[in-house]
């Protein structure tokens, strides 16, 4: 059975920086830089320009990851894309990424499968478990796994939406999960979900149980009320469960793999709130130098946070071959997951 390792990483964030102060000045939101920094650690985030979609960000990150792995798009056997901000309702964004990468062009086009993962902030860790399983089963050699989000085009950028829109940013991270005979790679994972809290953080837009799925006006246009249109979050409930589930998930994967806290060189925690992560680190006795973060620059990029951090850490030399790393995520669903990788 081959091992599955991460042979390349890449990331892309759109160039437009939106500071906390700009949320107040440019969007007229009743907020302050101090409030956002104190509660979340976020100082700025990136927003895409009009016309840019999640598959566009994903394509940039994918090309960087392929280059880092020394591979070309012809080497990819499967695309897995995790997002909660898809290009459209259907088809999935994985196929748009395939098209955007030009993977259907030329006589040697392989028309590889494209799988979408819908697990919000846990999407990357869920996707990693699927990619590793497929590689370890011996079926596939190189899987392109991407976490990408374009939040900025679908948030309530008013004071009504301030508890959500001040947290999220756009960006994409990609990894290549490859087969190897070497003794390294993705060692194991722990995943979970608690559907009792499915409505604690959600963006419904429409309800398929209703006929039609949203009311129509006389011209047949859909009417979407603000309660359905925009994301809703019970921040305090999310905060409490994030702390509990991230700790549990990390401890479970460590126990399963017999990994001790001090064996782990770096902890890549989902970037939802710096205070959540600092609290967990304090509870578990993880020193701050083992806890990379980029939430202050990018906000919460949901499925993108962990792969963006991996790519940044590889490029700035923090993450090196031979290290043992852990990743942990929690988000809407609720869903959560943790994984351990020998880099
Ligand atoms: O990936 C997973 C996604 N999300 C998370 O992990 C988020 C977890 N939760 C949190 O990080 C925190 O709950 C928040 C940072 C989102 C909010 O902090 P909080 O202390 O739980 O605030 P709250 O939601 O209880 O709101 C307290 C007040 C409210 O005002 P009123 O109703 O008391 O007048 C909010 O409207 O803070 C207000 N508020 C803001 N004020 C200024 C909420 N967002 C803002 C804002 N600026 N950006």
């Amino acid at each position: 059975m081959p091992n599955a390792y991460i042979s390349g990483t890449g990331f892309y964030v759109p160039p437009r920086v939106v500071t906390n102060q700009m949320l107040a000045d440019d969007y007229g939101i009743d907020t302050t830089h101090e409030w956002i920094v104190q509660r979340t650690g976020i100082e700025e985030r990136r927003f895409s320009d009009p016309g840019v979609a999640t598959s566009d960000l994903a394509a940039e990150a994918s090309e960087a990851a392929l280059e880092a792995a020394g591979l070309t798009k012809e080497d990819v056997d499967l695309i897995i894309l995790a997002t909660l901000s898809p290009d459209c309702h259907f088809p999935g964004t994985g196929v748009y990424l395939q098209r955007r990468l030009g993977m259907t062009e030329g006589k040697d086009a392989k028309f590889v499968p494209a799988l979408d993962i819908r697990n919000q902030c846990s999407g990357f860790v869920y996707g990693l478990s699927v990619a590793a399983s497929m590689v370890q089963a011996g079926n596939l050699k190189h899987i392109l796994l991407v976490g990408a989000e374009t939040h900025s085009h679908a948030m309530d950028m008013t004071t009504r939406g301030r508890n959500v829109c001040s947290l999220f940013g756009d960006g994409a991270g990609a990894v290549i999960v490859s087969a190897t005979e070497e003794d390294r790679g993705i060692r194991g994972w722990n995943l979970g979900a608690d559907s009792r809290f499915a409505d604690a953080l959600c963006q419904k837009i429409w309800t398929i149980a209703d006929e039609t799925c949203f009311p129509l006006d006389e011209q047949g246009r859909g009417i979407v009320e603000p309660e359905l249109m925009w994301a809703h979050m019970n921040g305090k409930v999310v905060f409490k469960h994030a702390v509990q589930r991230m700790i549990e998930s990390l401890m479970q994967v460590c126990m399963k793999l017999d990994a001790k806290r001090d064996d782990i060189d770096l902890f890549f925690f989902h970037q939802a709130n710096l205070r959540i992560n600092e609290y967990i680190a304090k509870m578990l006795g993880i020193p701050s130098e083992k806890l990379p973060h980029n939430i202050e620059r990018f906000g919460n990029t949901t499925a993108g946070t962990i792969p963006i951090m991996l790519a940044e850490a590889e490029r700035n030399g923090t993450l090196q071959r031979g290290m043992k790393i852990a990743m942990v995520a929690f988000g809407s669903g609720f869903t959560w997951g943790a994984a351990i990788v020998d880099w």
Side-chain angles (χ1 to χ4, degrees):
M1 179 173 115
N3 284 313
Y5 82 113
I6 294 178
S7 60
T9 62
F11 80 105
Y12 178 78
V13 290
R16 185 153 60 100
V17 175
V18 176
T19 62
N20 293 340
Q21 195 57 46
M22 287 163 75
L23 293 178
D25 295 345
D26 300 357
Y27 293 88
I29 297 168
D30 181 10
T31 190
T32 62
H33 176 69
E34 290 68 32
W35 194 99
I36 299 173
V37 171
Q38 264 176 23
R39 306 285 174 114
T40 69
I42 298 167
E43 294 174 21
E44 58 188 44
R45 72 285 293 140
R46 303 296 178 95
F47 281 1
S48 302
D49 287 334
V52 174
T54 295
S55 60
D56 295 317
L57 306 184
E60 300 280 353
S62 301
E63 278 167 358
L66 284 167
E67 192 184 337
L71 299 172
T72 67
K73 57 185 190 293
E74 288 75 26
D75 296 312
V76 172
D77 300 314
L78 166 69
I79 294 169
I80 303 180
L81 187 135
T83 189
L84 68 66
S85 46
D87 286 15
C88 60
H89 176 49
F90 74 82
T93 306
V95 295
Y96 288 112
L97 174 60
Q98 185 202 55
R99 185 164 78 184
R100 182 70 176 61
L101 289 171
M103 291 173 71
T104 57
E105 290 160 21
K107 62 176 176 36
D108 296 328
K110 293 199 295 190
F111 299 98
V112 299
L115 171 68
D116 277 43
I117 298 262
R118 293 298 308 266
N119 293 98
Q120 300 70 249
C121 299
S122 313
F124 180 76
V125 181
Y126 268 68
L128 193 72
S129 73
V130 175
S133 303
M134 285 187 155
V135 166
Q136 287 162 356
N139 293 326
L140 302 174
K141 225 167 153 196
H142 301 293
I143 297 177
L144 169 61
L145 168 63
V146 191
E149 305 288 355
T150 311
H151 288 302
S152 60
H153 298 168
M155 288 194 294
D156 183 3
M157 298 299 299
T158 69
T159 298
R160 179 181 54 196
R162 66 184 175 178
N163 72 323
V164 171
C165 74
S166 51
L167 305 187
F168 292 91
D170 300 347
V175 301
I176 312 296
V177 178
S178 298
T180 181
E181 295 305 322
E182 290 174 35
D183 183 18
R184 64 187 289 204
I186 301 155
R187 299 303 194 185
W189 52 85
N190 168 269
L191 302 174
D194 187 348
S195 51
R196 292 174 300 172
F197 298 94
D199 294 339
L201 175 48
C202 63
Q203 184 170 15
K204 300 234 162 151
I205 309 199
W206 45 264
T207 309
I208 202 73
D210 294 345
E211 187 182 346
T212 55
C213 63
F214 37 56
L216 305 178
D217 70 9
E218 280 163 11
Q219 280 78 42
R221 290 177 298 222
I223 302 163
V224 186
E225 300 297 341
E227 304 81 63
L228 289 180
M229 180 69 196
W230 306 117
H232 287 276
M233 176 170 71
N234 184 335
K236 288 204 188 325
V237 170
V238 176
F239 194 113
K240 190 179 122 209
H241 285 263
V243 169
Q244 181 198 333
R245 295 302 190 180
M246 286 170 75
I247 290 176
E248 281 173 8
S249 196
L250 181 57
M251 287 177 71
Q252 287 199 16
V253 76
C254 284
M255 283 190 296
K256 184 167 141 187
L257 298 172
D258 196 23
K260 312 258 174 318
R261 179 195 60 198
D262 295 341
D263 297 341
I264 296 170
D265 298 297
L266 292 170
F267 292 83
F268 291 87
F269 285 10
H270 170 53
Q271 304 286 289
N273 184 324
L274 194 60
R275 310 298 163 231
I276 293 178
N277 293 354
E278 287 171 347
Y279 185 73
I280 295 171
K282 194 169 154 208
M283 299 274 288
L284 297 180
I286 296 169
S288 58
E289 60 273 17
K290 286 191 172 187
L291 199 67
H293 53 86
N294 60 21
I295 190 167
E296 63 282 3
R297 287 176 289 127
F298 301 148
N300 181 351
T301 55
T302 307
T305 63
I306 292 175
I308 292 174
M309 277 194 297
L310 293 174
E312 282 198 304
E314 230 190 10
R315 278 155 184 72
N316 68 26
T318 318
L319 174 56
Q320 290 168 9
R321 174 82 205 264
M323 282 184 162
K324 187 182 279 299
I325 66 163
M327 38 186 107
V328 196
F330 176 90
S332 159
F334 292 145
T335 57
W336 57 87
I340 289 185
V341 179
D342 284 322
W343 202 257

